[in-house]
Amino acid sequence: MVLDKLSEGLKATLSKIAGSMFVDEKLVNELVKDIQRSLLQSDVNVKLVFELTQRIKERILKEPTPGALTKKEHLVNIVYEELTRFLGGEKSEIKLNEQGLSTIMLIGLFGSGKTTTSGKLAKYFMKRGKKVALLGLDVHRPAAMDQLQQVGKNINAQVFVLKGEKSPVKIYKHFEPEFKKYDVLIVDTAGRDALSLDLIEELKQVHEVAKPTEALLVISGDIGQAAQTQAKAFHDAGAITGVVVTKMDGTAKGGGALSACAVTGAPIKFIGVGEKVDDFEPFNPKGFVGRLLGMG
Ligand code: GDP
């Protein structure tokens, strides 16, 4: 799993706390160094690591231990709370409109897992009783439409594609009268190998006509430090309301993708944990950190 190394490091740190005689400044310094090392080794951005561990240290040294807790428990709590805050704090769910159509626009570079995620998201809502359709607006990659059709076929969802048409806005408008038959429309937009001005312009135009309820950035867990520039540029372009981090089942370090979310302030809404359509989970920072720390 992505972040296994981070988990190992953090668990070792917690064992160190458990095994120490008492909580003193020496232990706190060691703890902070250990956490820094684990996060850096997992590719979390240096500045973010410093800010995070600085907060942990300050809280440990300044906050009185609540009556019901031992000093050690308090220490572990602070580490847990700060890591959770780093990953967005509270669970952030997709917001659907109470009535009428909700449109979810997925954006991201080639290979980030956008099309796969379109299918996963569609299945997720279908399981919850929603009528879902997929709209293919990746007009640049010839195979993209076929891939989306295949995805739709596998889950029995309606897919709208217009092969040969090069304007995503025209495609959207062409099918627009159909959309009112659905609760959720998932819009798979075009990617590129790298972020470019014309991609940003295209996404802005699609955003303008589709008026998405949510615009989700799809980034791959293995992307590394490049994730932050990418996330920021996409964020500036299209008012991202959330992030899906894919390939969390891989062996990459994962910290780059997590840093990207922290930089944009956009909450992680889902994670992809495999290639299959059900390998998809809503992201819950508390549960996630609990698992990282081996707290069950
Ligand atoms: P797109 O270019 O952004 O539309 O990316 P695709 O959806 O085509 O995905 C690119 C590759 O990543 C495909 O081989 C997918 O099967 C794979 N992929 C997508 N999401 C996941 C995931 O969560 N885990 C794993 N292991 N592979 C994934």
Side-chain angles (χ1 to χ4, degrees), residues 120-179:
K120 289 176 173 180
L121 205 51
K123 176 99 188 274
Y124 177 84
F125 287 118
M126 288 165 80
K127 274 196 209 154
R128 283 155 185 77
K130 303 287 177 197
K131 279 196 79 183
V132 182
L134 295 152
L135 173 66
L137 297 186
D138 189 350
V139 292
H140 304 287
R141 198 169 50 121
M145 303 289 175
D146 296 331
Q147 193 192 342
L148 192 66
Q149 278 180 316
Q150 193 54 47
V151 162
K153 201 166 154 214
N154 290 345
I155 55 172
N156 239 333
Q158 173 70 47
V159 178
F160 296 111
V161 293
L162 199 57
K163 288 182 186 163
E165 173 56 64
K166 288 290 172 205
S167 156
V169 170
K170 279 191 187 151
I171 302 176
Y172 183 89
K173 290 195 167 148
H174 178 84
F175 290 114
E176 198 169 10
E178 300 286 325
F179 300 153

Side-chain angles (χ1 to χ4, degrees), residues 185-198:
L185 176 70
I186 294 169
V187 182
D188 186 19
T189 62
R192 294 282 198 285
D193 287 327
L195 207 62
S196 62
L197 284 177
D198 61 328

Side-chain angles (χ1 to χ4, degrees), residues 11 14 18 23 42 44 47 58 76 78-80 90 93 99 163 172 180 188 205 223 229 232 264 290 296:
K11 281 182 200 158
L14 295 196
V23 176
S42 305
V44 177
K47 186 165 163 270
E58 261 175 46
V76 172
I78 289 174
V79 172
Y80 168 81
E90 292 301 317
E93 301 198 28
Q99 280 181 346
K163 288 182 186 163
Y172 183 89
K180 57 176 174 297
D188 186 19
Q205 286 173 7
I223 179 175
T229 342
K232 202 172 169 311
T264 59

Side-chain angles (χ1 to χ4, degrees), residues 107-118 120 138 141 144 147 151 188-192 218 220-222 244-250 271-276 279-280:
I107 64 180
L109 296 184
F110 278 158
S112 60
K114 231 176 335 95
T115 308
T116 310
T117 301
S118 300
K120 289 176 173 180
D138 189 350
R141 198 169 50 121
Q147 193 192 342
V151 162
D188 186 19
T189 62
R192 294 282 198 285
V218 180
S220 163
D222 60 14
V244 179
V245 184
T246 63
K247 305 183 197 179
M248 290 294 278
D249 53 308
I271 54 175
V273 292
E275 296 191 75
K276 300 215 178 66
D279 298 332
F280 191 59

